[in-house]
Amino acid sequence: MKSKMKIKTKVVGSIVCLSMILSMSSCAGDGFDEETFSGGVTNAQLDSPKASEVVFAKLPGTSNVKISWPVVMGAGGYKFSLYNMDNPETPVAVVKDSIIDGSSVVCTYADDTNYKAEIVTLGNEKFNNVASTTPAEPTWTTLIPATVIPPGDLTAWFANNPVTTGKDVEVAYELQAGGEYTISGNLDFGVNNVQLRGNKVNHAKVKFEAADGKILTSGGGLALKFINFDCALATSGIFLGFGDPVEGVLETFEAWGIVTPIVTNPIMIQSCKIMNVKNKFININSKSYALHNHIIRDCILEAYQNTDFINFNNGMAFVKDMEISNSTFYSHDQNGSRFIRHAGANAQNVPGWSTGSMKFLNNTFYNMSYSGQSFNGNGWNKDFNSVVSKNNVFVDSFNGQFNQRIRAQGTKVAMTFGDNCYWYNGGIPANETTGRNEGDKTTSAYNVDPGFADPANGDFTPSAPEIRAHAGGDPRWLN
């Protein structure tokens, strides 16, 4: 038997499309020949598949989606394109005019993204069939369905529309593109798993109005995305805090006589601009929670730092796996407080957990914890914990001792370095590299004044060519 199966791969930028081809055999007695494969369609003007019949199916365990459609009999193949439609006025082609010998294709996808495919049926000269003139244009989104909240006060809206779905189902609420909102008091999501998001292209604007206002979670899970926050009036409040544990909802562990709830759903802040933070940015609020995943990604954080910035220092509170990536943290005030602080527990105190990690990837830090510590936590100095620090720019931050403190002043905590820039108080902070055993000993470490364009006004575009050569810091300043 001679198979006619064909597999074609097309790479466009960082997107890989793999055509998934229906195998047609030509051996005798298989029920197919060229005429029946054509479906008897000859001398015809072909149509594109119906958009309503195109199926998008995520492939489990991958970041791929399989896009499939019904076979158009008599076709000579299909021309396939895929567009990012986050901004409908300027679609971005992620796959363009890929020729597919089959009725499905596999592409990688990104989270929180709107897509449109274009599928054109190609003609078949052998059967004298002509290509379709109008493409099928099915749409697909990786955003989870959301309830849209009209502009206004979020504290009042959620008081009138309380979240009751619990921790096991993520429920999303979307703010209108460019909409203006307030938080007049505490915005308490309880033990529910909530996503509060704006529009990726045109962020909503949210202003804290109360001096002690805060966003609260009791460990059900929380994602804040695509929102610009103004904390100027929250002079004694915090941006994100933890509320009272709800008994019987979260699993717990006990260490040193302290019972601590375990937060298994991520606590994430993504693609937000958070301005005028005048107190703690994140605070455990004298509670004791153990977080599995805490992520700050693609954010700008402006602070007037006067206290520990990310504070989990109470009871047995700590974060198992923390990621800070593609973000900018800067303070207008120079302060001796800590950047991150944990209490005394560690991953191996929690049943089923074995390791802890921190990742600092492609960040710009300026004036953060100027004469203070990057990290302090009694339970961190363990050989099952690790840190990855790559492509960061550290300027006038952490007393010139980021690595020393993030490794708990020793080498027990494993650390992976790469392409980090260290600059402190107008010179080279030796303790970040050669001055201590915990330092960055890689040949890619470098020391240079980045020459930020206007840090006082939040512009961290570097002028030093070394920063660009090492792809250093928050990527937004390199574009």
Side-chain angles (χ1 to χ4, degrees), residues 251-262 288-292 314-320 342-356 377-382 384-385:
E251 294 184 5
T252 62
F253 75 96
E254 183 174 349
W256 292 278
I258 299 174
V259 177
T260 299
I262 303 168
S288 185
Y289 286 93
L291 277 63
H292 191 291
N314 190 71
M316 293 293 109
F318 76 103
V319 179
K320 177 187 182 298
H342 287 186
N346 61 67
Q348 293 195 358
N349 295 131
V350 181
W353 292 4
S354 58
T355 63
N378 293 334
W380 180 248
N381 190 21
K382 305 292 182 181
F384 50 78
N385 291 327

Side-chain angles (χ1 to χ4, degrees), residues 42-323:
T42 59
N43 305 309
Q45 170 71 63
L46 301 177
D47 293 324
S48 294
K50 293 181 179 179
S52 60
E53 295 180 350
V54 177
V55 177
F56 294 79
K58 291 182 179 180
L59 300 181
T62 76
S63 294
N64 296 331
V65 58
K66 181 179 180 181
I67 307 165
S68 56
W69 54 90
V71 172
V72 177
M73 291 300 178
Y78 305 88
K79 184 167 66 175
F80 177 86
S81 299
L82 185 67
Y83 297 90
N84 178 321
M85 297 295 292
D86 286 336
N87 186 346
E89 295 181 359
T90 56
V92 177
V94 291
V95 175
K96 181 67 173 174
D97 294 341
S98 181
I99 305 303
I100 306 300
D101 287 344
S103 59
S104 65
V105 64
V106 172
C107 299
T108 58
Y109 68 86
D111 291 333
D112 303 317
T113 303
N114 295 308
Y115 291 101
K116 180 184 77 172
E118 289 185 355
I119 305 168
V120 176
T121 303
L122 298 178
N124 189 321
E125 291 184 4
K126 182 172 184 177
F127 299 120
N128 197 33
N129 294 330
V130 180
S132 61
T133 57
T134 304
E137 296 184 330
T139 58
W140 182 63
T141 183
T142 55
L143 290 162
I144 67 172
T147 298
V148 177
I149 302 177
D153 183 47
L154 294 175
T155 305
W157 192 92
F158 279 102
N160 293 324
N161 302 272
V163 187
T164 59
T165 47
K167 69 178 180 64
D168 295 326
V169 177
E170 184 179 21
V171 59
Y173 298 89
E174 184 170 323
L175 309 183
Q176 289 184 5
E180 297 187 0
Y181 297 80
T182 58
I183 296 176
S184 61
N186 289 342
L187 183 58
D188 191 347
F189 293 116
V191 75
N192 301 290
N193 188 1
V194 174
Q195 179 185 124
L196 180 66
R197 70 176 188 242
N199 179 276
K200 284 178 71 174
V201 177
N202 186 7
H203 288 192
K205 303 171 182 64
V206 176
K207 185 175 183 178
F208 287 79
E209 288 191 326
D212 61 348
K214 60 186 73 72
I215 300 170
L216 290 170
T217 176
S218 292
L222 180 63
L224 304 172
K225 301 182 178 184
F226 318 127
I227 301 172
N228 292 350
F229 292 94
D230 184 353
C231 306
L233 299 181
T235 53
S236 61
I238 56 175
F239 178 74
L240 175 60
F242 286 78
D244 294 330
V246 179
E247 187 174 352
V249 177
L250 300 179
E251 294 184 5
T252 62
F253 75 96
E254 183 174 349
W256 292 278
I258 299 174
V259 177
T260 299
I262 303 168
V263 181
T264 55
N265 292 326
I267 304 296
M268 172 184 283
I269 305 171
Q270 176 184 330
S271 302
C272 290
K273 188 175 184 180
I274 304 168
M275 309 302 287
N276 297 305
V277 177
K278 297 183 176 179
N279 197 3
K280 289 179 171 64
F281 173 52
I282 297 172
N283 190 26
I284 200 66
N285 276 359
S286 300
K287 310 299 188 296
S288 185
Y289 286 93
L291 277 63
H292 191 291
N293 287 294
H294 182 31
I295 300 166
I296 302 171
R297 183 182 295 156
D298 185 35
C299 291
I300 295 178
L301 278 296
E302 177 199 40
Y304 293 81
Q305 189 183 6
N306 59 16
T307 186
D308 294 347
F309 202 62
I310 299 173
N311 180 47
F312 289 92
N313 185 40
N314 190 71
M316 293 293 109
F318 76 103
V319 179
K320 177 187 182 298
D321 297 313
M322 170 173 271
E323 175 196 320

Side-chain angles (χ1 to χ4, degrees), residues 372-383:
Q373 300 173 0
S374 58
F375 176 81
N376 183 284
N378 293 334
W380 180 248
N381 190 21
K382 305 292 182 181
D383 59 9

Side-chain angles (χ1 to χ4, degrees), residues 9-70:
T9 303
K10 185 176 181 68
V11 181
V12 182
S14 62
I15 303 298
V16 178
C17 265
L18 174 63
S19 60
M20 307 292 290
I21 310 304
L22 182 63
S23 176
M24 292 296 176
S25 298
S26 60
C27 60
D30 63 7
F32 292 95
D33 56 28
E34 292 182 348
E35 186 65 27
T36 56
F37 181 60
S38 76
V41 178
T42 59
N43 305 309
Q45 170 71 63
L46 301 177
D47 293 324
S48 294
K50 293 181 179 179
S52 60
E53 295 180 350
V54 177
V55 177
F56 294 79
K58 291 182 179 180
L59 300 181
T62 76
S63 294
N64 296 331
V65 58
K66 181 179 180 181
I67 307 165
S68 56
W69 54 90

